[in-house]
Amino acid sequence: MHNDRSITEARLKRVLDERIRPALYPESVPLTVGVWNAPGEPVPVEEGIAAARTPIEVGSPWGPPWGTSWFTVTGTVPAAWAGRTVEAVLDLGFDENMPGFQCEGLIYRPDGTPVKGLNPRNQWVRIGSPAEGGEKVELHIEAASNPVLLDYHPFLPTELGDKETAGSEPQYKLARMDLAVFDETVWELVQDLEVLGELMAELSTDSPRRWEILRAVERALDAVDLQDVGGTAARARAELTEVLSAPAHASAHRISAIGHAHIDSAWLWPLRETVRKVARTTSNMTALLEDEPEFVYAMSQAQQFAWIKEHRPEVYAKVKKAVADGRFVPVGGMWVESDTNMPGSEALARQFVHGKRFFMEEFGIEPREVWLPDTFGYSASLPQIVKQAGAKWFLTQKISWSQTNKFPHHTFWWEGLDGTRVFTHFPPMDTYNAQLSGKEVAHAVANFQEKGSATRSIAPTGWGDGGGGTTREMVARAKRLKDLEGSAKVVFEKPSEFFEKAQAEYEHAPVWVGELYLELHRATLTSQAKTKQGNRRSEHLLREAELWAATAAVRAGFAYPYERFDRLWKAVLLLQFHDILPGTSIAWVHREAAERYAAIGAELTEIIEAAQRALAGDAAADTSVVFNAAPHARAGIAAGGAAVAA
């Protein structure tokens, strides 16, 4: 037989790109668009929805750096579309290659109910399948014109890193605002062909399976009438049924896909923008959970849950329901995904105290896994703290970024300084933003270091940093890869389910003793010295303030400021996030950190002085009094012990 493999593979790509994907939306009508540009910082939802709009056309520039524009789109579903699936396609001017690092939006109904996020890889919102035409459509979009800082040539000096220097030049052009018919059969055909095409490319040319897929794809492409893709898509899918139903080998690697969106609590955007990134992503994920019964989503960082509780209660209500249903899974147990090299041991312990307390009080859940995919190396003291905090498993990805020495394990016991061991996993897919592509799945299988002893790995699946999380396309891939010959077996499940199974099959995993050292980001230990000074001074003042407030409460009836300490500790823990304390964020973030440290220091100094005055009593009016916070005897008022005469 003539070897036409390369011809058929090139044909698949060309037909997908030029004919089949464009047929996803075979009919469309434009929406009417109005805009209001909020002055200054973001405004409450009700204010943004109520503001008067100015007409704007597709192709018009919008959005100064760090600005917020409220768009309203209105239209009518044509009568001819009755009974067909209709979606709004809303493109703010996205570059699909940079999800999470550009403009984003959150869609609301007229009553202020959040619908879903709007992102480069998630530009649609389902309108429904109206029984009759004439249905009115009205949606509001809170659009953030965050400037592109991680461009194709990343980490170049820029004035866009702070709103004080960023200027007012519009950053984007409105690209598409349409109502469109969504052809679900064509969409399913796209997913079939993408999964099979990607799997085929990873198989050896000597593999019979590769050629079986190739011939099935060839038949499917022959079945598609390029002048009537929608009318022939079902016929093309039928040609793929057999190769898609062939089961995986019994020895196939097992991948636990976990819906995820790694959201840095600050990095190339300020803290206030992270609040909105989290709201957009969680809106997306709660909507996807409603549509996809097999999907499971995991989110770390109690601080991020607390933000949406405070700032977006309408979004938080959906999150709480999804958590109660067991499909939106709080993980990690820490206040933020903090740095673990520079914070003191007390602060690391408090990350768990405040994180676990929040999850217990809000959801009745105590996460058992520590989730730190992106932190810049891990102190050898961490296993002891992890175990004392009631956790039993540890996950990271970052060590795969080391430049010279490849870490020798993906599943192992991590032993700390005191001999404490924690069962640990590094996803061999080498990403915490997996798309479940054929290339990623094949890499996970080939890269997995524990072959022959263990069979499972994790794939955190979804676009992070405001990219919108897991997409419906990723869920579709997982369905097709659940039991497919030539591939690993992929299934969505909770992190705890993975760890229980992985530990049960590999109880005698190898042991790594000591620090998990990251070679790549070493310079972060010396950058932004003022931020590091602010952290250390805040940790010191927190100790002093708690020490003297407790002593004064016991000896002098001083009102111990529980709520203030809780708030101040959380403020310090937030600033220990792994892109703030290490000094890897934009200028705005570090400027704000300095301001916050100054405010924290002033308030803690005030608490210390008030507690000491309560202890000194009347003597402080005309006598010098020494306060002794040292762990050894000296003159003055000793914290926690009897006073010593001056």
Side-chain angles (χ1 to χ4, degrees), residues 247-254 455 483 489:
H249 296 305
S251 60
H253 185 69
R254 290 165 170 80
T455 64
D483 190 14
K489 295 181 178 181

Side-chain angles (χ1 to χ4, degrees), residues 11 65 75 105 118 217 259 393 434 481:
R11 178 188 176 199
L118 195 60
V217 166
W393 304 305
L481 296 172

